[in-house]
Amino acid sequence: MRHFYYCITIIMVSIFISCQVQQKESVPNILWINCEDISPNLGCYGDQYATTPNIDKLAEHGVTFEKAYSTAAICSPSRSCLITGLYATSLGTQQLRCEINKPEFLKTFPEHLAQSGYFTSNNNKTDYNFNPEGVWQYWKEDNAPWRQRTGNQPFFSMFTFGMTHEGSVNHTEQWEKNTENLPDSLFHDPAKVPIPPYYPDSPEIRKIWSHYYDNITVFDRVVGEIVQNLKDDGLLDETIIFVFSDHGTGLPRYKRWLNITGLRVPLVVYLPDKYKHLAKVAPGSKDYEMVSFVDFAPTVLNLAGVRIPETMQGQPFMGKQLPANRTQVIGARDRADNMYEMSRAVVTERYIYVRHYYPHLPYIQPGIIFSDLKESFRELRRLKNNGELHAEALKMWGTKPVEELYDLQNDPAELNNLASLSQYRNQIDSLKSEIHQWAIKTGDTGFLPEAEYMIRSANSTLYEMAHNPNKYNLEKIIQAAEMVGAASLADLEKNLLSDDSGVRYWGVIGIQAMGKDGLPASDQLMALLNDPSPSVQIAAAETLCRLGNTTEALPILGKWVADDRGWLALQAARSIELIGDKAKPLVPVLYRILEKNKATDPNSSIRYRDFNFSAFTTWSVEWALANCWEKIDLVM
C-alpha cells in the first residue's frame, strides 16, 4: 500500500511539473488592430452616440484603458515609436514623412518576436519613417494572416485600417466610398451628434462629425470580421487582442494639435480566460494607469516572454514582473507635411503642460494642409470670415502662447490656459524641467532643424549622432531653444555669435518670434547669410525678408530651394511660402522647382517624384506662387 501511495505521489508531482512547464511554455498569440485618426469615441468609453458593438464586446472581456496616449498627434512618428519602443525624437523620425537610417542594432519588436519563434505579419501600412524591409515575415492585406504560419506556431499580427483617416472625414466622396456597404440603420443622425465646446454648431459641422462616427462604425465591423476569423479557426481563446488608434481625431484641434485631444487614444485589450491574470484589473474593468505608445513594444515582448532590450525606452503595462505605474507621458509635435512646428508636452494625472518653441506661428498656419481643400477647414474658415465663430473656436486661429497649462481634473476640454497665472508658476517650472530632463535623457533630435541634423548625421545615423556629445551638445542647444519667447533681445543676440549652429539657429528663431518691434539691426542677421549652416542661413534670410530686406536674403532662399537634398530644399520652400509676395523675384526659380519635382513616370498615380519631400516642396512652391499672383491650381 505504501508503494502504491508512493507511485501516486510521483505521478501527481510529474503531472504538476508537466503542467508548470506547459504553462511556462504557453505563450499567447497577439493581435494589434489599429485604425487611424480617432479619439476614444467608442461605446465602451461611454460615448452613447457611437455604434461599436464588436469593440464593446471585446471590452466586456478585457480592459479599457482610460489614459492611453500616443507620443505624437500625427501618424508616422507615432508608428515609428510603436514598432521600435523608442521615442521618434530619439530616432529622428519625428517629422511626418521623412527618410532616415535606423541603426542596425536597434531591432523592431516584431524582429525580436520572430527570433523567439513567433510568426509575424502586417496587414497594410508601415509608415515608420525608415525602411521597413525585414520587419515582417508576411506582409499582405489579409484578415486571417495566421493561416500562413507553420503548424501551431504562436503569431503576432498587426492590422492598420484607414477608413477613419482624416481624408474620409474631410472629403464627402471618400466617406461615401467607405460607407457604401453600411446598412442604413447604422448611419448616424447629424441632428444628434455631440458638438465639442471648441466647435461651432452648424449643419456642415454636424455632417462632418456624423461622418466621423459612421467611419468608426465601419472600422468596428472590420474588427468583428477579424474576431470571427479567430473564432472560426478556434484561436480566440488563445489570442490577446489590442484595438487602438494612432492618435486623436482627424479634425482641427485634434490631429496635429499637442493637446489631450491630439494625444489621447482609445485602447481596448481583450484577454482570454487563460491570460486574464496578465492584466492588472479584472476582465470588463477600466484601467486608469497612464500608458504611452513607447510602452506598447515592451508590453508585447513581456506578454510573449521575450527579453525586453535595454535600448527600448518604454515599460510594460501587462504581463509579469511589472514596474511601478507611470506618473507622466511625453508628447512631441514637429513637422507635419510641409509645415514646421516644434512643441513638447508632458501629461500628468492632473495637468498637461505644453511648451511651444515656434510661438510666432499660428495653430492654423497658412498652407495647403490647413486649406479649404478640407471640408472642416473650409467650414471653419467660412464661419470665421462671417464673424460666426464663438471665442473658443476662434482660439484655433490665433498664434500660440509660449506655454500652455490645463487642469485636466477641472477642465478636461482644455479651455482655460493657466500658464499666465502666477499661482501655477511652480507647477509650470516643474513640468518644464521634466521636458528638459526627458529630452536630455532620450536624446531629442528635434532641437536641431531637420536639415541641420541630417547634415550632422552624415555617414552615421541620427540616433548615434544624438548620443555623441561631440556632434550634439544638447544641453546647450536646449537652453537656447528655451529662450524663444522668454529671453531679452540682448541675450538672443549673444546666441547669434555662438560656435554651435544649433544655438545660432534658435537665436534667429527667438528674434523672429519677437516680431518687428525690438529686432536688432539687420546687419546682425546679414552676417548669418554666410553661416556655415544652411539652416541658419535660411532662418536668417526668412527673418530679413519679413523685415522687408529682401535684396541679399532672397538669393539665399533661391539657392537652397534648388538643392537636391529634399529635406534642405523643403526648409527653403516653406520660408519662401511664408514671406508672401516678397518672393516675387523668385518666381522663375519656383517654376523650375515645380518641373524638377514632377513625376517622371506618366502612369504614376501621383503628380510628384515621390510623396515625401518632392510633394511637400511642391505644395509650398505652388502656394508661394499663388502668393505672388501667379495662376496656380492648389491641389494636394
Side-chain angles (χ1 to χ4, degrees):
M1 182 64 69
R2 183 180 300 174
H3 180 71
F4 172 78
Y5 284 120
Y6 176 79
C7 291
I8 291 295
T9 302
I10 293 296
I11 291 170
M12 293 300 292
V13 170
S14 298
I15 291 173
F16 175 78
I17 293 173
S18 176
C19 289
Q20 291 295 101
V21 171
Q22 288 177 13
Q23 184 177 8
K24 182 179 180 181
E25 292 177 349
S26 175
V27 293
N29 305 313
I30 304 172
L31 259 60
W32 277 9
I33 307 177
N34 172 244
C35 71
E36 300 191 83
D37 302 18
I38 74 167
S39 295
N41 297 118
L42 308 174
C44 55
Y45 280 90
D47 193 324
Q48 297 180 1
Y49 188 70
T51 309
T52 53
N54 294 296
I55 299 173
D56 298 345
K57 190 172 182 179
L58 291 176
E60 289 174 7
H61 299 278
V63 179
T64 301
F65 286 85
E66 289 286 338
K67 294 184 177 181
Y69 300 95
S70 175
T71 48
I74 204 161
C75 56
S76 56
S78 300
R79 296 185 190 285
S80 171
C81 178
L82 283 168
I83 207 69
T84 62
L86 286 93
Y87 291 100
T89 48
S90 294
L91 277 178
T93 52
Q94 67 270 19
Q95 320 291 356
L96 181 71
R97 304 284 186 278
C98 61
E99 302 165 344
I100 67 103
N101 293 321
K102 179 178 68 67
E104 281 295 318
F105 62 84
L106 292 178
K107 301 295 183 183
T108 63
F109 81 85
E111 293 173 279
H112 289 291
L113 288 175
Q115 289 174 0
S116 69
Y118 268 75
F119 170 78
T120 65
S121 68
N122 180 56
N123 180 330
N124 209 345
K125 197 170 186 176
T126 50
D127 202 22
Y128 308 141
N129 282 338
F130 57 80
N131 188 344
E133 184 179 350
V135 172
W136 301 102
Q137 294 173 316
Y138 178 70
W139 182 358
K140 190 175 182 180
E141 291 190 24
D142 181 347
N143 282 356
W146 51 83
R147 295 171 184 169
Q148 307 301 317
R149 76 194 195 281
T150 301
N152 293 323
Q153 186 180 10
F155 58 86
F156 175 88
S157 295
M158 181 167 184
F159 303 82
T160 302
F161 295 104
M163 68 281 289
T164 52
H165 187 265
E166 67 170 317
S168 302
V169 182
N170 280 292
H171 302 284
T172 297
E173 64 275 12
Q174 290 188 32
W175 164 79
E176 290 174 342
K177 184 177 180 181
N178 273 352
T179 58
E180 59 186 3
N181 296 319
L182 194 66
D184 291 345
S185 61
L186 294 181
F187 281 90
H188 293 78
D189 182 357
K192 298 178 181 179
V193 67
I195 301 297
Y198 30 79
Y199 263 76
D201 190 345
S202 73
E204 180 68 10
I205 291 296
R206 287 187 165 274
K207 182 200 80 171
I208 290 168
W209 276 100
S210 67
H211 288 181
Y212 164 72
Y213 278 90
D214 292 341
N215 290 330
I216 293 176
T217 298
V218 175
F219 169 63
D220 179 78
R221 286 161 67 85
V222 175
V223 172
E225 292 174 13
I226 295 171
V227 172
Q228 187 60 50
N229 288 338
L230 286 170
K231 287 181 179 179
D232 293 344
D233 294 346
L235 292 169
L236 184 60
D237 292 339
E238 307 290 331
T239 306
I240 297 174
I241 304 172
F242 290 58
V243 180
F244 60 101
S245 71
D246 57 353
H247 50 72
T249 302
L251 289 169
R253 222 280 197 165
Y254 290 83
K255 186 174 184 176
R256 301 182 179 88
W257 262 256
L258 204 59
N259 293 75
I260 291 295
T261 48
L263 294 174
R264 186 172 174 235
V265 297
L267 172 60
V268 173
V269 181
Y270 163 84
L271 297 102
D273 287 344
K274 68 185 298 183
Y275 296 119
K276 63 183 181 182
H277 63 284
L278 297 175
K280 293 182 178 180
V281 299
S285 301
K286 293 183 180 295
D287 191 324
Y288 291 89
E289 175 186 0
M290 299 183 78
V291 300
S292 166
F293 272 12
V294 77
D295 302 326
F296 279 41
T299 296
V300 168
L301 294 181
N302 200 41
L303 290 171
V306 177
R307 186 184 66 83
I308 301 169
E310 294 181 0
T311 51
M312 286 191 175
Q313 296 168 328
Q315 62 183 52
F317 55 85
M318 287 192 299
K320 300 177 181 178
Q321 298 179 336
L322 298 176
N325 287 1
R326 276 190 173 276
T327 58
Q328 64 184 40
V329 297
I330 299 289
R333 183 183 181 188
D334 295 272
R335 177 175 58 76
D337 300 299
N338 64 329
M339 294 186 183
Y340 292 92
E341 274 290 0
M342 169 61 178
S343 303
R344 298 291 181 264
V346 56
V347 184
T348 68
E349 292 286 352
R350 180 162 182 176
Y351 296 100
I352 177 172
Y353 169 78
V354 186
R355 186 18 162 126
H356 296 292
Y357 299 92
Y358 294 154
H360 55 299
L361 298 178
Y363 289 108
I364 299 178
Q365 294 190 39
I368 200 163
I369 64 172
F370 292 148
S371 73
D372 289 356
L373 294 174
K374 296 178 181 178
E375 292 172 4
S376 58
F377 286 100
R378 182 162 65 240
E379 175 65 0
L380 289 171
R381 191 171 276 109
R382 182 188 72 81
L383 294 171
K384 174 178 175 290
N385 292 340
N386 291 342
E388 299 177 34
L389 285 185
H390 55 65
E392 287 302 330
L394 278 171
K395 288 180 182 178
M396 284 189 273
W397 298 87
T399 55
K400 301 186 297 293
V402 175
E403 298 174 307
E404 296 183 65
L405 178 72
Y406 300 99
D407 182 341
L408 299 175
Q409 180 176 303
N410 297 312
D411 180 24
E414 303 168 283
L415 303 179
N416 302 305
N417 183 10
L418 306 174
S420 63
L421 302 181
S422 59
Q423 60 263 42
Y424 291 96
R425 196 65 247 170
N426 289 340
Q427 186 72 40
I428 290 170
D429 289 344
S430 174
L431 294 175
K432 181 166 63 176
S433 176
E434 292 291 341
I435 291 177
H436 184 109
Q437 296 305 318
W438 166 85
I440 296 292
K441 179 180 177 180
T442 61
D444 188 341
T445 59
F447 283 90
L448 286 177
E450 186 174 12
E452 176 67 19
Y453 69 52
M454 291 299 288
I455 291 172
R456 289 196 189 192
S457 63
N459 303 318
S460 180
T461 67
L462 284 169
Y463 180 88
E464 291 165 301
M465 181 277 295
H467 289 81
N468 183 346
N470 294 324
K471 288 192 173 183
Y472 193 28
N473 189 335
L474 183 51
E475 181 69 59
K476 185 164 69 171
I477 294 171
I478 288 180
Q479 289 176 4
E482 289 172 345
M483 293 170 67
V484 175
S488 67
L489 177 59
D491 287 336
L492 292 171
E493 288 176 333
K494 292 177 183 176
N495 286 344
L496 301 182
L497 304 175
S498 171
D499 60 356
D500 191 307
S501 57
V503 174
R504 297 195 300 276
Y505 174 82
W506 285 112
V508 175
I509 297 301
I511 291 169
Q512 190 178 112
M514 297 182 76
K516 292 185 178 181
D517 296 334
L519 280 175
S522 59
D523 59 353
Q524 294 176 271
L525 289 170
M526 289 283 291
L528 296 181
L529 296 179
N530 295 312
D531 194 89
S533 166
S535 288
V536 174
Q537 289 187 30
I538 292 168
E542 179 188 335
T543 305
L544 286 165
C545 287
R546 287 172 180 262
L547 290 169
N549 190 342
T550 60
T551 303
E552 292 85 358
L554 278 179
I556 298 298
L557 298 179
K559 169 188 174 182
W560 293 119
V561 77
D563 197 273
D564 289 334
R565 292 166 288 184
W567 31 265
L568 182 52
L570 177 59
Q571 184 185 346
R574 184 61 180 162
S575 289
I576 293 169
E577 180 181 7
L578 292 177
I579 63 175
D581 62 4
K582 296 182 179 69
K584 184 71 173 174
L586 292 178
V587 164
V589 175
L590 299 181
Y591 275 116
R592 289 196 293 271
I593 301 304
L594 292 187
E595 192 64 29
K596 175 183 178 181
N597 287 337
K598 280 184 179 179
T600 55
D601 181 359
N603 299 316
S604 174
S605 60
I606 60 173
R607 61 192 185 97
Y608 324 103
R609 285 189 293 114
D610 58 61
F611 208 78
N612 286 355
F613 293 108
S614 293
F616 302 152
T617 301
T618 294
W619 294 353
S620 281
V621 167
E622 288 180 338
W623 206 272
L625 287 167
N627 289 338
C628 296
W629 315 300
E630 296 293 305
K631 293 182 179 180
I632 294 289
D633 291 328
L634 298 174
V635 295
M636 293 186 76

